[in-house]
Amino acid sequence: MVAKRPLCNVITLKMKPLWTPPRVPKGTIIESISDSMALLASDYGAKLPTFTEANTLLAFSDYSGEEAEAPYSVYSFLIISDKNLTEWDKSRAALRQRLLPDNRRVSYKKYRDALSKRFINEYLKVANSLDGYLITVSVSKQVETIFDGKLDFQQADLAPFAVWTTDTTEKTLRILHLISLFIAGFSRMHQNFVWITDNDKIAANPERLSVLVEALSRVSSSYLNHSLGHLRVGTTNVDDGTRLVEDLCSIPDLVAGAYSDQLKTMAAAAYASLSSHFWIHSPVLQQKTNAITWWASTSPKNLCKLYFKISSSEEDKQRVQFFHFYNK
């Protein structure tokens, strides 16, 4: 099973150490994303974080756009090193103790009352010191599948998904192929990789989580050019009560929610001609959307924020746009 061919040019580059060329299906959306990462590494490598000294890479993901009126499905991944996590957690815990003594959860949906708003705004500044990448991929709902042909559940790789709904299977496979691309591109020989996903329908119970773990092992092996140490998968249920895991997952949750709202608002007729833009700020967006997308467009050296937007074209191909906020 391979992804459909996108409407883009293939770029072949000599890679820098921060991105290892994965084995990707040629002429696909996945290849286009990988090539964009290669181009970014080539042009801005000195400004970007690298994972060469990390023992373990940690990925946290969340998703948005499930509601019917949302024109895009949005998948967001925070991929960080374990290098400075302990020190960073001290800052996070101190901020929680000062601003959220009730230990509440934070999320885009809960960005409502004054206390949560204040904490989130301060927390995102603290998040800038994490070493890694925040990568958000949006896919137009006009794109039914990013894979060639219909899903054949007689294939051994897809058989475990036969009892899942088609939309959940498509969502799961998109996420698996994206996280596998990032595992293969960022990791080094014998590094460990831990992926924590939101407690979403793709991992709604132990049975589904078991299917997810097995599927990730198979999919990621098709992308990797090297051997990893441990490859582990969990959900936010592993949080030990300190909110550390949930807070790390809240970063992609906030960005996915804000970008989904931006795409929904700007899909209105008055802005249809500007649909190829990434909006840093607009008076027609909600206050929380503006606050988060403004932060999401900053480019500190520690945390690199990237956006991919996949839409359909008149030629029945798929167009991949890449947004970042670095300059030379």
Side-chain angles (χ1 to χ4, degrees):
M1 177 182 57
V2 297
K4 284 185 177 178
R5 183 179 183 84
L7 186 64
C8 63
N9 294 322
V10 175
I11 305 167
T12 303
L13 293 169
K14 184 178 180 180
M15 307 298 291
K16 293 204 171 186
L18 63 87
W19 182 259
T20 302
R23 297 199 307 254
V24 295
K26 297 299 180 182
T28 66
I29 285 169
I30 298 297
E31 185 183 40
S32 178
I33 293 174
S34 181
D35 288 341
S36 295
M37 294 299 300
L39 185 58
L40 185 79
S42 177
D43 288 348
Y44 303 97
K47 298 182 178 182
L48 302 175
T50 180
F51 296 131
T52 53
E53 297 180 4
N55 293 317
T56 300
L57 302 188
L58 306 167
F60 303 86
S61 59
D62 212 319
Y63 326 107
S64 189
E66 295 281 334
E67 65 274 17
E69 64 272 20
Y72 283 79
S73 298
V74 182
Y75 315 95
S76 191
F77 305 86
L78 173 68
I79 304 165
I80 60 173
S81 162
D82 63 345
K83 190 170 58 175
N84 74 339
L85 190 59
T86 300
E87 287 302 311
W88 177 86
D89 185 37
K90 293 178 182 178
S91 299
R92 178 202 67 90
L95 184 65
R96 260 196 171 276
Q97 186 173 22
R98 179 165 60 88
L99 294 182
L100 287 184
D102 60 359
N103 203 33
R104 73 181 69 177
R105 297 181 66 180
V106 296
S107 67
Y108 186 71
K109 291 180 181 178
K110 294 182 178 180
Y111 189 108
R112 292 188 296 264
D113 63 276
L115 199 58
S116 291
K117 289 179 183 178
R118 185 182 175 197
F119 173 81
I120 289 171
N121 291 340
E122 291 298 316
Y123 175 58
L124 289 177
K125 295 176 185 176
V126 172
N128 274 334
S129 63
L130 288 165
D131 287 319
Y133 293 79
L134 179 56
I135 307 176
T136 302
V137 180
S138 61
V139 182
S140 170
K141 289 185 179 177
Q142 294 181 352
V143 177
E144 293 184 6
T145 181
I146 67 169
F147 303 102
D148 277 330
K150 293 183 178 180
L151 299 176
D152 181 5
F153 295 105
Q154 299 302 313
Q155 296 180 21
D157 287 356
L158 293 180
F161 298 103
V163 296
W164 295 28
T165 63
T166 302
D167 64 323
T168 300
T169 301
E170 174 74 23
K171 175 180 179 178
T172 305
L173 291 173
R174 290 178 182 184
I175 293 167
L176 286 171
H177 279 264
L178 288 170
I179 197 70
S180 294
L181 172 68
F182 301 141
I183 291 171
F186 285 127
S187 67
R188 300 291 176 263
M189 180 76 76
H190 303 316
Q191 278 181 329
N192 302 317
F193 198 98
V194 178
W195 173 35
I196 303 294
T197 178
D198 175 54
N199 195 15
D200 185 85
K201 62 185 180 181
I202 71 169
N205 53 52
E207 292 75 21
R208 287 200 170 189
L209 181 59
S210 178
V211 171
L212 197 67
V213 172
E214 184 66 27
L216 178 63
S217 177
R218 289 196 300 268
V219 175
S220 63
S221 65
S222 69
Y223 286 85
L224 284 160
N225 287 306
H226 54 270
S227 298
L228 295 178
H230 299 297
L231 178 61
R232 294 174 177 162
V233 183
T235 71
T236 49
N237 287 338
V238 303
D239 192 278
D240 60 3
T242 64
R243 300 292 191 198
L244 172 60
V245 171
E246 289 185 352
D247 282 352
L248 286 165
C249 275
S250 76
I251 297 170
D253 169 87
L254 291 166
V255 171
Y259 193 37
S260 181
D261 269 1
Q262 177 188 138
L263 292 167
K264 180 166 57 178
T265 301
M266 296 309 176
Y271 297 94
S273 62
L274 301 175
S275 61
S276 63
H277 292 62
F278 183 98
W279 292 80
I280 295 174
H281 187 277
S282 172
V284 302
L285 295 174
Q286 296 184 70
Q287 186 273 333
K288 66 177 182 178
T289 307
N290 275 326
I292 294 168
T293 52
W294 184 270
W295 171 83
S297 65
T298 60
S299 302
K301 184 168 183 178
N302 290 65
L303 186 61
C304 174
K305 300 153 192 166
L306 308 171
Y307 299 84
F308 293 92
K309 184 180 178 185
I310 300 165
S311 55
S312 59
S313 72
E314 293 179 358
E315 294 83 4
D316 195 31
K317 294 182 180 179
Q318 292 165 11
R319 181 185 184 206
V320 180
Q321 295 172 276
F322 178 40
F323 303 96
H324 68 81
F325 304 95
Y326 289 92
N327 59 56
K328 295 183 179 181

